Amino acid sequence: MQTIQDLLSEQVRAAFAAAFPGADLAGLPLAATPAGDEAFGDYQSNGAMAAAKVLRQPPRQVAEQVVRHLPTGDLLAKVEIAGPGFINMTLADDALARHVAAIQDDPHVGLPQSGAGRRLILDYSAPNVAKPMHIAHIRSTVIGDALKRIYRALGYEVLGDNHLGDWGTQFGILIMGYRHFLDKAALAASPVDELQRVYVLSHQRCEEDPAWQDQARAELVKLQAGDPENRALWQTFIDLSLEEFNRIYARLGVSFELIRGESYYNDALPGVVQKLQDLGLVRESEGALVAFLDDEKLPPCIVRKSDGGYNYATTDLATVFSREQEFQPAAILYVTDERQQLHFRQFFAIARKAGVTTPLRHIWFGLMRLPEGLLSTRKGTAIKLDLLLDEAEKRALELVRQASPDMPEAQQQAVARAVGIGAVKYADLSQNPQSAVSFTWEKALAMDGNSAPYLQYAYARIASVLDKHAERFPGHDWRAAPLVLDSPHARRLALRLARYSGAVCAAAAQEKPSLLADALYDLSQAYSSFYQNVPFLKAEAGLRESRVRLCALTAKVLRHGLGLLGIETPDRI
């Protein structure tokens, strides 16, 4: 299906072309967008303001000429000009009803398959081996997963790649700690916690004892040279870490198509440096090989250190060369926190100079904050992600028991898991990714605000309506009922349903799942108004089924949209 917004945008652009056949208006923002105030219509175009500068005419005069070429009738009931030249458009009720009704049988829920035949690589989560995942990991994980779901819903093939931190100097330190401080019982009980504990002890010894530090370096050299014993230990660290990570990913409903750590590209690093040398992109400076990026107004970037070691830029270059050759993606997206912006600007600049033609995008996000301040492992205030999820499920269980005390215990537990995990995800995804997130339980689990439980409850309430209709009116099929928008509440709800596909497209284009969350919250509020003001089951036959059908369409869109955010929708809460 084509979105209503796209249909209107095509008509607006065609009207501009017809009104000004000789003008070069390419690249101007002429499209239709949802109206900010429904008092002025359903959609609007501000294109007359942008075109006025090119045409050297007053914006309102431009708008008047455009409106003459905007047809009313089948799609539009009314077109008006407001203020200095805003073009306001109101959809015809029949056209709106037809478009919304078509969502019912559309397997893509009205979403255009604009990404069909195109492949994306999405690099997200990327925890470090032998370190527990903590609350600061959640943003990359859930934002990346939501974007993957959104792009797939638009037809893209998306490969999620978990680029683990599984190589580097820390492994020599860890090997020493493992051999000297390991508690086997603790390793069996909680492997990653124990690996972190022995690493911390070994790191402390490195700072206190130069001989210990020298031995750790020697163990690292042996690992890098392929020593069988050290390689076996290193693989053990990876296996234990992945087992723990995958358990948490399963709780979050997150998965990956590729899991390739830094080590996967280790053998390619010398060739990367040689390629940069051959292209004249690096030169020696104080014993190191450095890419100077003065033309890009960026600081120099070291690609091989003075001791012969490599850094993240080198590994990322090897990774992008490999991805481009193996997968030929339409784009590669990296989801990391804001602190890595400089790194990605440097890395992208070098990659382009080295011949990478694949579009590379850094989707950065603000940090997760608790009320008492920024989470930081150095300050000892990091909260393990597992503990956050446990607390979420515990608090959600209290809500479920209060709302549905007669629900079987096993079902209460299952619903609490969906509500608790959903609350944590939505508290993140409903925020502008580039804003810092201050997490509070009160907001995350609120039943009457912009939260996952509120949206999940809206879905469950509709499920109840559908069940009651089936029970009271057997044989009355709402699916076949004509959709009639017989009240302002019904029309407002239908308009939100029609805008859903545009919201998903905008979330993909702007790389902001929060735009989808906003649309779902707006839809839920419109449904709440519809529910409170329009009788469903007490309405006369025919009209009753039309209204129930509108409820069902709302449930379908809510379920689909929350699914794109990785949030489940229980039928009862």
Side-chain angles (χ1 to χ4, degrees):
M1 287 177 61
Q2 192 173 18
T3 71
I4 277 188
Q5 187 170 339
D6 284 345
L7 286 170
L8 288 175
S9 295
E10 286 180 2
Q11 290 194 5
V12 170
R13 284 190 285 265
F16 270 95
F20 307 103
D24 182 8
L25 303 179
L28 294 182
L30 307 180
T33 58
D37 185 340
E38 63 185 36
F40 297 107
D42 301 328
Y43 289 84
Q44 65 183 41
S45 174
N46 303 338
M49 266 68 79
K53 297 178 182 178
V54 176
L55 299 170
R56 297 183 179 180
Q57 296 182 29
R60 190 174 180 93
Q61 182 177 321
V62 171
E64 289 170 350
Q65 296 177 72
V66 171
V67 165
R68 294 193 191 104
H69 295 275
L70 267 177
T72 57
D74 183 51
L75 183 59
L76 289 173
K78 184 170 59 176
V79 180
E80 296 178 316
I81 301 171
F86 299 109
I87 300 173
N88 295 328
M89 294 163 279
T90 301
L91 297 169
D93 286 356
D94 288 347
L96 177 58
R98 285 196 306 271
H99 186 86
V100 171
I103 294 174
Q104 183 173 305
D105 297 320
D106 183 6
H108 304 299
V109 196
L111 300 184
Q113 298 304 286
S114 51
R118 304 178 69 196
R119 177 185 292 148
L120 301 177
I121 294 179
L122 199 56
D123 184 324
Y124 62 102
S125 195
N128 290 319
V129 164
K131 291 184 180 180
M133 292 181 71
H134 53 83
I135 192 173
H137 285 111
I138 197 164
R139 296 219 75 187
S140 176
T141 303
V142 301
I143 291 172
D145 181 64
L147 287 172
K148 182 171 77 171
R149 293 168 183 264
I150 288 169
Y151 287 123
R152 282 184 172 170
L154 295 172
Y156 290 91
E157 177 192 358
V158 188
L159 302 179
D161 191 346
N162 197 358
H163 190 68
L164 298 176
D166 67 348
W167 198 252
T169 58
Q170 69 269 29
F171 285 97
I173 300 171
L174 181 57
I175 288 170
M176 287 290 288
Y178 187 89
R179 287 179 175 153
H180 292 83
F181 303 125
L182 183 68
D183 181 328
K184 292 185 178 180
L187 185 72
S190 185
V192 178
D193 286 337
E194 177 61 8
L195 291 178
Q196 184 183 44
R197 187 187 72 84
V198 301
Y199 172 81
V200 169
L201 291 175
S202 182
H203 188 270
Q204 290 173 348
R205 283 289 297 272
C206 284
E207 293 181 338
E208 299 165 359
D209 184 354
W212 185 279
Q213 186 175 48
D214 290 342
Q215 185 58 43
R217 287 172 179 159
E219 296 298 341
L220 176 65
V221 171
K222 289 167 61 180
L223 172 64
Q224 293 173 334
D227 176 77
E229 185 177 351
N230 281 12
R231 281 280 177 150
L233 275 182
W234 171 75
Q235 189 62 53
T236 296
F237 302 152
I238 292 174
D239 293 343
L240 291 173
S241 298
L242 275 175
E243 183 177 352
E244 177 72 1
F245 297 159
N246 288 335
R247 184 181 62 80
I248 295 175
Y249 290 138
R251 291 187 73 179
L252 289 170
V254 171
S255 62
F256 300 88
E257 287 62 52
L258 298 171
I259 300 179
R260 293 180 176 178
E262 297 167 1
S263 63
Y264 183 88
Y265 307 96
N266 190 57
D267 292 344
L269 299 184
V272 168
V273 172
Q274 186 62 54
K275 178 176 181 176
L276 298 180
Q277 287 180 299
D278 293 343
L279 292 171
L281 299 178
V282 294
R283 64 176 186 266
E284 187 173 332
S285 177
E286 299 181 4
L289 277 179
V290 180
F292 290 90
L293 304 170
D294 297 340
D295 291 346
E296 289 78 15
K297 298 181 180 179
L298 293 171
C301 179
I302 298 174
V303 297
R304 191 179 67 197
K305 295 181 283 189
S306 58
D307 62 2
Y310 305 102
N311 60 11
Y312 290 125
T314 327
T315 301
D316 280 346
L317 286 166
T319 304
V320 76
F321 293 156
S322 174
R323 287 170 172 169
E324 188 172 57
Q325 180 178 11
E326 182 177 358
F327 299 111
Q328 298 87 46
I332 304 175
L333 287 61
Y334 300 81
V335 185
T336 78
D337 73 56
E338 61 189 1
R339 294 172 295 186
Q340 298 189 44
Q341 290 181 76
L342 175 60
H343 163 76
F344 279 99
R345 286 199 296 268
Q346 292 175 311
F347 154 49
F348 289 172
I350 299 170
R352 285 192 295 269
K353 291 183 175 185
V356 171
T357 58
T358 303
L360 308 175
R361 301 202 295 273
H362 180 210
I363 303 171
W364 61 269
F365 53 82
L367 301 181
M368 177 77 79
R369 300 176 186 271
L370 292 178
E372 62 268 25
L374 180 66
L375 294 170
S376 171
T377 52
R378 295 175 187 172
K379 297 178 182 177
T381 59
I383 295 179
K384 289 176 60 180
L385 187 49
D386 241 1
L387 296 179
L388 177 74
L389 301 182
D390 289 344
E391 183 67 15
E393 292 189 26
K394 174 184 173 183
R395 289 175 181 254
L397 184 58
E398 295 174 3
L399 291 178
V400 174
R401 284 173 173 165
Q402 291 173 9
S404 301
D406 59 330
M407 184 184 289
E409 175 67 21
Q411 188 179 358
Q412 287 180 335
Q413 295 281 353
V415 172
R417 179 188 59 77
V419 172
I421 301 299
V424 170
K425 286 187 173 184
Y426 191 85
D428 185 323
L429 295 172
S430 60
Q431 305 294 316
N432 183 330
Q434 295 181 355
S435 300
V437 174
S438 294
F439 182 89
T440 65
W441 288 115
E442 292 74 19
K443 183 176 179 181
L445 288 167
M447 294 295 292
D448 57 356
N450 189 8
S451 67
Y454 176 80
L455 300 179
Q456 289 169 315
Y457 182 66
Y459 174 83
R461 191 162 55 178
I462 299 173
S464 176
V465 168
L466 299 180
D467 288 344
K468 289 177 181 177
H469 179 269
E471 179 184 335
R472 296 184 191 179
F473 305 101
H476 291 250
D477 186 6
W478 55 261
R479 294 171 181 82
L483 198 61
V484 180
L485 307 181
D486 65 317
S487 71
H489 303 288
R491 192 185 190 284
R492 188 176 301 116
L493 180 58
L495 183 60
R496 269 57 180 181
L497 292 170
R499 288 177 175 175
Y500 172 69
S501 55
V504 175
C505 292
Q510 299 182 43
E511 298 158 347
K512 291 182 178 180
S514 58
L515 298 178
L516 171 57
D518 289 343
L520 295 175
Y521 179 54
D522 191 26
L523 174 63
S524 295
Q525 288 184 307
Y527 176 76
S528 180
S529 177
F530 181 60
Y531 181 85
Q532 293 169 10
N533 290 281
V534 178
F536 301 155
L537 303 183
K538 294 182 179 180
E540 61 188 66
L543 185 57
R544 176 180 61 225
E545 278 66 42
S546 173
R547 291 173 178 174
V548 171
R549 185 181 182 189
L550 191 56
C551 290
L553 287 166
T554 303
K556 180 172 183 174
V557 169
L558 278 175
R559 183 182 184 92
H560 187 268
L562 286 171
L564 296 187
L565 298 179
I567 296 173
E568 297 180 41
T569 45
D571 289 339
R572 186 179 172 192
I573 292 180

